[in-house]
């Protein structure tokens, strides 16, 4: 029997302070990479992995995000009347089936672990995925789909991982590797935001997870971890002790940290360069820029 994962949680209740003043009125997840909001990349990735139920953990000021998933009949009619079939197709791809999306509020930003815990009643007693929309991953096979495939072998809890330079470890959750089997590693420990000296490896957790409902029980205790926040990493690490069923997955693809300005800009350029309708003009512009900066040196 295949191990199925049909539900995904999208925690989007953070304040997005690194993008102020934009995030004063625009949720970070609605900001666009080329012409699609971050959240659309996350939904597309989830769908490719077979997800059918989408749970958004939101907060005050995120109504633009909820509206984004409403159908837009007037816009559709107008595009239809003008024969703009390509745009109509683009628009229709963003439509969600009625009842597929649920929103739940995190009333206080107590951390990622707490945000996921807020969705516990909607998740129920099934394995579930977690996707952080500000981690955008360019990959031939979408990252969560790669994970669902690997999860058929492992079951348990799986976190997406990537190698990071030693001096960047303190920005991530870092795994302690028990056995390295290539793309899958079994994990014997996890530390959230360790100092460079304390980091047990250079394998960092990024924003894709497949989790057992037991992690929600662990979050119940509401223990504060790094930065005084209720950390998802700590609740997963508890499963190493209790069930020894935590795995890291080295995905194939490039991850962009779109929660940071530099990462967002890099993703914008990279995604635009992969688009045939935009690449030639952008390439010319980047070349001109680089000539101009060399000439100025
Ligand atoms: P970040 O650490 O990027 O925080 O959260 P943030 O608030 O979004 O952004 P900055 O640091 O202020 O610029 C990682 C993910 O966890 C969610 C965020 O929405 C983001 O998707 N999150 C974080 C919550 O949903 N609730 C929280 O209490 C904390």
């Amino acid at each position: 029997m295949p191990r199925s994962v049909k539900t995904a949680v999208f925690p989007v209740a953070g304040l997005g302070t690194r993008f102020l003043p934009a995030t004063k009125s625009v949720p970070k997840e609605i900001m666009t990479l080329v012409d699609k909001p971050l959240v659309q990349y996350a939904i597309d990735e989830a769908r490719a992995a077979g997800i059918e139920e989408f749970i958004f953990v939101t907060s005050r000021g995120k109504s633009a995000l909820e509206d984004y998933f409403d159908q837009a009949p007037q816009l559709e009619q107008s595009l239809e009347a003008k024969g703009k079939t390509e745009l109509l197709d683009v628009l229709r791809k963003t439509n969600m089936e009625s009842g597929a999306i649920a929103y739940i509020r995190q009333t206080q930003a107590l951390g990622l672990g707490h945000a996921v815990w807020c969705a516990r009643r909607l998740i129920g007693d099934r394995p579930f995925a977690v996707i952080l929309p500000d981690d955008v991953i360019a990959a031939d096979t979408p990252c969560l789909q790669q994970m669902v495939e690997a999860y058929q072998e492992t079951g348990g809890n799986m976190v997406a991982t990537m190698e990071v330079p030693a001096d960047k470890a303190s920005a991530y959750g870092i795994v302690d590797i028990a056995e390295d089997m290539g793309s899958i590693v079994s994990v014997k420990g996890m530390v959230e935001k360790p100092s460079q000296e304390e980091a047990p490896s250079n394998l960092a957790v990024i924003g894709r997870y497949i989790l057992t409902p037991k992690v929600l029980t662990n979050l119940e205790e509401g223990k504060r971890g790094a930065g005084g926040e209720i950390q998802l990493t700590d609740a997963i690490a508890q499963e190493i002790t209790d069930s020894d069923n935590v795995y890291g997955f080295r995905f194939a693809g490039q991850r962009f940290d779109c929660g940071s300005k530099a990462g967002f800009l890099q993703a914008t350029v990279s995604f635009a360069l992969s688009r045939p309708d935009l690449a030639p003009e952008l390439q010319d512009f980047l070349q001109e820029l680089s000539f101009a900066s060399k000439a100025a040196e």
Side-chain angles (χ1 to χ4, degrees), residues 33-35 264-291:
L33 266 188
V34 187
D35 50 14
F264 198 98
L265 290 170
Q266 286 159 15
T268 303
V269 174
S270 178
F271 277 67
L273 285 175
S274 70
R275 289 259 302 250
D277 57 331
L278 298 171
E281 210 174 316
L282 182 59
Q283 254 156 359
D284 288 349
F285 173 69
L286 291 174
Q287 228 156 21
E288 272 167 37
L289 265 189
S290 122
F291 283 141

Side-chain angles (χ1 to χ4, degrees), residues 119-287:
R120 66 198 177 282
R121 294 199 180 90
L122 294 175
I123 298 167
D125 196 23
R126 301 162 292 176
F128 61 100
V130 176
I131 294 188
L132 305 191
D134 45 10
D135 270 343
V136 176
I137 299 167
D140 290 339
T141 304
C143 181
L144 189 64
Q145 187 182 340
Q146 295 176 39
M147 289 175 75
V148 168
E149 282 163 16
Y151 171 75
Q152 300 309 310
E153 229 175 277
T154 63
N157 297 281
M158 180 174 278
V159 297
T161 57
M162 66 176 208
E163 258 91 28
V164 295
D167 63 344
K168 296 276 188 304
S170 62
Y172 296 90
I174 302 288
V175 303
D176 194 356
I177 300 169
E179 194 186 344
D180 197 331
M181 296 165 278
S183 57
I184 297 173
V185 301
S186 65
V187 172
K188 63 177 177 194
M190 284 170 88
V191 201
E192 186 62 37
K193 300 191 173 58
S195 66
Q196 192 170 333
E197 297 69 39
E198 282 163 350
S201 75
N202 66 344
L203 209 51
V205 177
I206 60 116
R208 301 288 183 278
Y209 310 77
I210 297 174
L211 302 175
T212 56
K214 176 72 186 348
V215 170
L216 299 170
T217 316
N218 300 345
L219 285 165
E220 197 79 38
E221 293 170 28
K223 259 196 231 143
R224 305 285 179 132
E229 295 195 341
I230 301 172
Q231 297 287 357
L232 186 58
T233 306
D234 296 342
I236 301 170
Q238 177 74 45
E239 281 313 276
I240 301 169
T241 322
D242 293 352
S243 316
D244 191 20
N245 64 356
V246 178
Y247 302 89
F249 178 71
R250 288 191 181 95
F251 60 94
Q254 188 177 6
R255 174 254 188 183
F256 295 94
D257 175 10
C258 291
S260 79
K261 285 176 217 170
F264 198 98
L265 290 170
Q266 286 159 15
T268 303
V269 174
S270 178
F271 277 67
L273 285 175
S274 70
R275 289 259 302 250
D277 57 331
L278 298 171
E281 210 174 316
L282 182 59
Q283 254 156 359
D284 288 349
F285 173 69
L286 291 174
Q287 228 156 21

Side-chain angles (χ1 to χ4, degrees), residues 30-64:
I30 283 292
M31 290 179 17
T32 50
L33 266 188
V34 187
D35 50 14
K36 271 203 299 190
L38 288 184
V39 73
Q40 187 66 51
Y41 289 90
I43 290 277
D44 291 348
E45 185 179 330
R47 274 191 168 141
I51 298 296
E52 292 170 358
E53 286 167 35
F54 305 80
I55 304 171
F56 282 82
V57 183
T58 68
S59 59
R60 184 184 292 272
K62 300 275 178 171
S63 47

